[in-house]
Amino acid sequence: MSRTVIAAVDGSAESLAAADWAAHEAQMLRLPLHLLHVWQDWSQAFAHAPFTGMDTTPCEGATATQHYAEQVTHDASDRLRAAHPGLEITVEQVHGRPVEVLLCAAAKAEVLVVGSRGLGSLAGFLTGSVSLPVIAHAERPVVAVRAGERAGSEPLPGTGDHGDRKGPCLDVVLGLDLSRPCDELLAYAFEAAAARAATLRVVHGWSVPVVEGYDPAAADPGHGVALGLREASALTDVLRSWRGKFPQVEVKEQCMVGRPAGHLVEASKEASLMVVGRRIRRAAVGAHIGPVTHAVLHHSTAPVAVVPHL
């Protein structure tokens, strides 16, 4: 059965931006788009809400909540069908706990797309009580999209029409840790770049090891240069077979000294998509996404794809 691009929608500006991004992605990948709204009954939805003064019974509240769910998905689907004629779009409203429902949906998706709330110029993504646990526990890729930013599929300036797209996109940026360069992460990044006719920029940040307070690079600058050449060579080696599998993808390698998160956030300013990894952990509770991925989610100015891997 064909996999599906799934967008979680709740009527917020962030979720509508996620639906827009998901529609572009589905059309580009020639996959159907599924819009999913998770709703809870009156007692769940309003148990912790402040008193509003409305004279509404629990039954009426549940009916109104379900009606709102239907309205949200149908309004979004009508808008996206007008913008993407020919795209197969289905809608669904599911009663249940949002995190549980979305994790179940993600398991069957090509990619799950969620909205993230912007905090301003210094803190880009805020993954909240639903988005963060979904990203932390999903075993399929999850893309976080923020309202008010570029959709991540803009063509490069001055490019012409290419079929159903306007031209090659801004770079896809991959953050790669050479200590665990997993196939799932590399495959997703190369496929994303190929689909967009975009350059894949692979960013690897590294630091000179400090042993017992002694910095060998400070004492001997040549030591740092040698380590840099070794890291760059290792990055080239990791990417060699993937270049062979995707000869149409232009690859730029960036092997830089310093904290990886800072380099990736800077790279996001000129990216159509950021791709980062998350190790799958079998912890019963808690969210584990790693410090680099966490920083990118909060500060990236481009959509962020979080790819789980062992």
Side-chain angles (χ1 to χ4, degrees), residues 164-253:
D164 58 353
R165 291 180 289 126
K166 296 180 180 179
C169 295
L170 298 170
D171 293 354
V172 171
V173 175
L174 166 64
L176 190 62
D177 180 357
L178 291 183
S179 68
R180 50 175 73 93
C182 67
D183 288 347
E184 296 94 335
L185 184 60
L186 286 158
Y188 187 95
F190 270 89
E191 289 168 1
R196 291 163 172 76
T199 296
L200 176 61
R201 186 155 32 123
V202 183
V203 177
H204 169 59
W206 65 279
S207 300
V208 177
V210 177
V211 181
E212 296 183 356
Y214 171 68
D215 184 352
D220 178 10
H223 182 75
V225 172
L227 286 176
L229 291 174
R230 187 180 69 185
E231 293 289 329
S233 177
L235 178 59
T236 297
D237 289 343
V238 167
L239 296 175
R240 183 173 292 112
S241 65
W242 291 94
R243 288 177 183 267
K245 294 176 184 176
F246 293 87
Q248 76 277 30
V249 175
E250 179 185 358
V251 180
K252 293 181 181 178
E253 302 175 19

Side-chain angles (χ1 to χ4, degrees), residues 287-305:
H288 304 277
I289 59 173
V292 174
T293 295
H294 189 274
V296 172
L297 279 167
H298 276 74
H299 299 289
S300 173
T301 57
V304 180

Side-chain angles (χ1 to χ4, degrees), residues 101-193:
V101 173
L102 291 177
L103 285 174
C104 182
K108 300 177 287 185
E110 181 71 17
V111 62
L112 173 68
V113 188
V114 297
S116 293
R117 182 162 298 161
L119 289 176
S121 60
L122 296 180
F125 283 118
L126 171 62
T127 49
S129 59
V130 173
S131 297
L132 184 57
V134 170
I135 291 171
H137 295 291
E139 297 193 4
R140 292 289 302 166
V142 179
V143 175
V145 180
R146 186 176 66 189
E149 294 291 346
R150 59 185 181 274
S153 58
E154 290 80 357
L156 290 169
T159 57
D161 291 337
H162 290 261
D164 58 353
R165 291 180 289 126
K166 296 180 180 179
C169 295
L170 298 170
D171 293 354
V172 171
V173 175
L174 166 64
L176 190 62
D177 180 357
L178 291 183
S179 68
R180 50 175 73 93
C182 67
D183 288 347
E184 296 94 335
L185 184 60
L186 286 158
Y188 187 95
F190 270 89
E191 289 168 1

